[in-house]
Amino acid sequence: DSGVTQTPKHLITATGQRVTLRCSPRSGDLSVYWYQQSLDQGLQFLIQYYNGEERAKGNILERFSAQQFPDLHSELNLSSLELGDSALYFCASSPRGGGYEQYFGPGTRLTVT
Amino acid sequence: AQKITQTQPGMFVQEKEAVTLDCTYDTSDQSYGLFWYKQPSSGEMIFLIYQGSYDEQNATEGRYSLNFQKARKSANLVISASQLGDSAMYFCAMRDLLAAGNKLTFGGGTRVLVKP
């Protein structure tokens, strides 16, 4: 158990809908990262937050947005969902002030039908 | 831009034998980190080992060691004394240590199946 929690574990929804994925980082970690793992694109970085501020952005679609709250949990919002958005979405966190590794949560498997 | 290449899509290894997973990378970054993660069939991503580009010694963590050859831009993972529980996908990743963000760039992965 990495200490990173993600809810829900599975999500099935229809095209055009909007969903919210939630992540709680390890205790004390200030950075939160979101990654998408799909069969055709592999594992891709989406976005990073550090202590509530956006720190880095990857290939995140405009239909997707994220935020990190004062209690450091993060939410990834996916809207106008398409079939191609079906993927495993990971949240990760990294230690404050040193340590380079990122600890991943169990992921949320999103299926868009 | 960073790129990670894992040329072995899948491989079999006999239990108790060692296996080497290949990883080559391409980057113009001066200071970077290399990582290996394991993804079992249950789906979670498990951090295995880290190597910094300026580390003089190869990293080791238990049965995992990283064979880092900077001039060849390779960072191969060696798993010694394979166990059935080592059957999983393995991903090589890298990160620019000087960038403002800490994003990881991943390779395509290698699937390892340990045979009893």
Side-chain angles (χ1 to χ4, degrees), chain A residues 32-52:
Chain A
V32 167
Y33 312 79
W34 286 97
Y35 292 86
Q36 178 195 58
Q37 185 178 30
S38 62
L39 283 175
D40 52 347
Q41 299 287 335
L43 259 164
Q44 287 201 98
F45 168 76
L46 295 178
I47 197 163
Q48 177 199 354
Y49 279 82
Y50 178 83
N51 202 21

Side-chain angles (χ1 to χ4, degrees), chain B residues 20-82:
Chain B
T20 298
L21 307 184
D22 295 340
C23 172
T24 58
Y25 60 91
D26 188 19
T27 183
S28 57
D29 300 329
Q30 296 302 306
S31 180
Y32 51 89
L34 295 154
F35 304 78
W36 279 91
Y37 282 83
K38 171 184 178 182
Q39 186 177 37
S41 57
S42 51
E44 73 270 30
M45 295 287 288
I46 302 168
F47 167 74
L48 296 179
I49 196 167
Y50 165 80
Q51 176 86 43
S53 59
Y54 285 101
D55 293 340
E56 294 185 354
Q57 299 221 343
N58 287 340
T60 60
E61 287 287 347
R63 294 186 299 110
Y64 304 107
S65 60
L66 201 152
N67 184 2
F68 179 47
Q69 298 186 46
K70 192 171 182 177
R72 298 180 64 180
K73 293 191 174 180
S74 74
N76 298 340
L77 177 71
V78 180
I79 306 174
S80 62
S82 296

Side-chain angles (χ1 to χ4, degrees), chain A residues 60-78:
Chain A
I60 187 167
L61 299 172
E62 285 191 10
R63 301 183 286 109
F64 295 1
S65 65
Q67 55 184 326
Q68 187 179 26
F69 295 87
D71 66 352
L72 301 177
H73 91 272
S74 178
E75 293 181 356
L76 179 66
N77 299 297
L78 315 176

Side-chain angles (χ1 to χ4, degrees), chain A residues 33 35 37 43 45 48 55-56 88 90 94 100-102 104 106, chain B residues 35 37 39 43 45 47 50 91 95 97 100-104 106:
Chain A
Y33 312 79
Y35 292 86
Q37 185 178 30
L43 259 164
F45 168 76
Q48 177 199 354
R55 177 62 67 94
L88 187 54
F90 286 108
S94 60
Y100 297 113
E101 61 268 29
Q102 295 177 18
F104 281 69
Chain B
F35 304 78
Y37 282 83
Q39 186 177 37
M45 295 287 288
F47 167 74
Y50 165 80
F91 291 94
R95 199 198 109 185
L97 299 181
N102 300 337
K103 72 167 191 175
L104 291 174
F106 285 88

